[in-house]
Amino acid sequence: QVQLVESGGGLVQPGGSLRLSCAASGSIWSINAMGWYRQAPGKERELVAGITSGGRTNYADSVKGRFTISRDNAKNTVYLQMNSLKPEDTAVYYCNLEAQYVNYWGQGTQVTVSS
Protein backbone atom coordinates (compact mmCIF):
# COMPACT_ATOMS: atom_id res chain seq x y z
CA GLN A 1 0.00 0.00 0.00
CA VAL A 2 1.02 3.58 -0.54
CA GLN A 3 2.06 5.41 2.59
CA LEU A 4 2.53 9.12 3.10
CA VAL A 5 4.77 9.96 6.03
CA GLU A 6 4.56 13.53 7.27
CA SER A 7 6.88 15.41 9.56
CA GLY A 8 7.68 18.93 10.66
CA GLY A 9 4.58 20.02 12.52
CA GLY A 10 4.69 21.57 15.94
CA LEU A 11 4.08 24.62 18.07
CA VAL A 12 5.46 27.98 16.96
CA GLN A 13 4.93 31.61 17.85
CA PRO A 14 3.30 34.02 15.42
CA GLY A 15 5.81 35.10 12.83
CA GLY A 16 7.73 31.87 13.09
CA SER A 17 8.43 29.26 10.46
CA LEU A 18 7.94 25.55 9.95
CA ARG A 19 8.85 23.19 7.15
CA LEU A 20 6.58 20.23 6.54
CA SER A 21 7.76 17.17 4.67
CA CYS A 22 5.79 14.33 3.14
CA ALA A 23 7.49 11.26 1.73
CA ALA A 24 5.48 8.78 -0.30
CA SER A 25 6.41 5.13 -0.46
CA GLY A 26 4.91 1.99 -1.93
CA SER A 27 3.64 1.02 -5.33
CA ILE A 28 2.65 4.16 -7.19
CA TRP A 29 1.81 3.87 -10.86
CA SER A 30 1.85 7.58 -11.54
CA ILE A 31 1.65 10.88 -9.73
CA ASN A 32 -0.43 13.69 -11.15
CA ALA A 33 0.06 16.06 -8.25
CA MET A 34 0.96 16.35 -4.59
CA GLY A 35 -0.19 18.91 -2.14
CA TRP A 36 -1.12 20.01 1.33
CA TYR A 37 -4.55 20.46 2.85
CA ARG A 38 -5.48 21.66 6.29
CA GLN A 39 -8.49 21.39 8.54
CA ALA A 40 -9.32 23.21 11.74
CA PRO A 41 -12.01 21.96 14.14
CA GLY A 42 -15.46 22.75 12.83
CA LYS A 43 -14.14 23.89 9.47
CA GLU A 44 -13.99 22.32 6.04
CA ARG A 45 -10.75 20.84 4.81
CA GLU A 46 -9.14 23.25 2.40
CA LEU A 47 -6.35 23.14 -0.11
CA VAL A 48 -3.30 25.02 1.10
CA ALA A 49 -0.89 24.39 -1.75
CA GLY A 50 -0.51 21.95 -4.61
CA ILE A 51 2.07 21.14 -7.23
CA THR A 52 1.55 19.12 -10.39
CA SER A 53 3.95 16.72 -12.01
CA GLY A 54 4.66 19.48 -14.51
CA GLY A 55 5.67 21.91 -11.78
CA ARG A 56 2.58 24.10 -11.72
CA THR A 57 1.77 25.40 -8.25
CA ASN A 58 -1.42 26.59 -6.66
CA TYR A 59 -1.89 28.34 -3.33
CA ALA A 60 -4.78 29.37 -1.18
CA ASP A 61 -5.10 33.15 -1.13
CA SER A 62 -4.62 33.15 2.63
CA VAL A 63 -1.12 31.69 2.38
CA LYS A 64 0.12 33.15 -0.89
CA GLY A 65 3.42 34.91 -0.39
CA ARG A 66 4.07 33.17 2.92
CA PHE A 67 4.07 29.48 2.04
CA THR A 68 6.09 27.71 -0.64
CA ILE A 69 5.48 24.21 -1.93
CA SER A 70 8.23 22.22 -3.57
CA ARG A 71 8.85 18.64 -4.56
CA ASP A 72 11.46 16.06 -5.32
CA ASN A 73 9.93 13.78 -7.92
CA ALA A 74 12.71 11.22 -7.69
CA LYS A 75 12.02 10.82 -3.98
CA ASN A 76 8.23 11.23 -4.24
CA THR A 77 8.52 13.88 -1.58
CA VAL A 78 6.73 17.17 -1.21
CA TYR A 79 7.61 20.02 1.14
CA LEU A 80 5.77 23.01 2.50
CA GLN A 81 7.84 25.89 3.78
CA MET A 82 5.66 28.03 6.01
CA ASN A 83 6.89 31.49 6.95
CA SER A 84 5.30 34.39 8.81
CA LEU A 85 2.92 32.02 10.49
CA LYS A 86 -0.30 33.37 11.93
CA PRO A 87 -2.67 31.96 14.55
CA GLU A 88 -5.17 31.47 11.72
CA ASP A 89 -2.80 28.88 10.25
CA THR A 90 -3.43 26.59 13.20
CA ALA A 91 -4.84 23.32 11.86
CA VAL A 92 -4.09 19.73 11.12
CA TYR A 93 -2.17 19.60 7.88
CA TYR A 94 -2.62 16.64 5.56
CA CYS A 95 -0.40 15.54 2.72
CA ASN A 96 -2.19 14.44 -0.43
CA LEU A 97 -0.98 12.45 -3.40
CA GLU A 98 -3.09 12.35 -6.53
CA ALA A 99 -2.34 9.30 -8.64
CA GLN A 100 -3.93 8.36 -11.92
CA TYR A 101 -6.88 6.53 -10.40
CA VAL A 102 -6.77 7.19 -6.67
CA ASN A 103 -5.93 9.76 -4.04
CA TYR A 104 -3.84 9.02 -0.98
CA TRP A 105 -3.71 10.92 2.30
CA GLY A 106 -1.23 11.23 5.11
CA GLN A 107 -2.16 10.84 8.74
CA GLY A 108 -2.06 14.56 9.40
CA THR A 109 0.33 16.66 11.44
CA GLN A 110 -0.69 19.34 13.91
CA VAL A 111 0.50 22.89 13.37
CA THR A 112 -0.23 25.27 16.21
CA VAL A 113 0.62 28.96 16.01
CA SER A 114 0.16 30.66 19.35
CA SER A 115 1.75 33.31 21.50
Side-chain angles (χ1 to χ4, degrees):
Q1 293 86 2
V2 173
Q3 290 184 320
L4 303 179
V5 180
E6 301 158 323
S7 62
L11 173 64
V12 296
Q13 294 184 342
S17 297
L18 285 173
R19 185 176 188 250
L20 305 183
S21 299
C22 174
S25 63
S27 181
I28 306 174
W29 299 112
S30 65
I31 299 175
N32 295 331
M34 295 186 72
W36 293 92
Y37 290 72
R38 68 185 180 188
Q39 186 169 26
K43 296 185 178 180
E44 184 179 352
R45 185 176 298 188
E46 64 174 346
L47 174 68
V48 178
I51 185 166
T52 70
S53 60
R56 293 286 191 181
T57 58
N58 184 41
Y59 297 93
D61 289 340
S62 59
V63 308
K64 196 169 297 183
R66 299 187 297 119
F67 292 9
T68 303
I69 189 170
S70 61
R71 77 189 195 283
D72 185 333
N73 286 340
K75 297 167 61 176
N76 289 336
T77 300
V78 64
Y79 307 92
L80 185 67
Q81 179 67 46
M82 304 186 294
N83 298 326
S84 302
L85 283 162
K86 305 175 180 179
E88 308 91 88
D89 297 318
T90 297
V92 178
Y93 284 69
Y94 297 90
C95 179
N96 170 261
L97 186 156
E98 181 183 289
Q100 187 170 1
Y101 295 109
V102 67
N103 286 274
Y104 301 95
W105 294 90
Q107 80 286 350
T109 183
Q110 178 71 47
V111 172
T112 302
V113 185
S114 176
S115 60

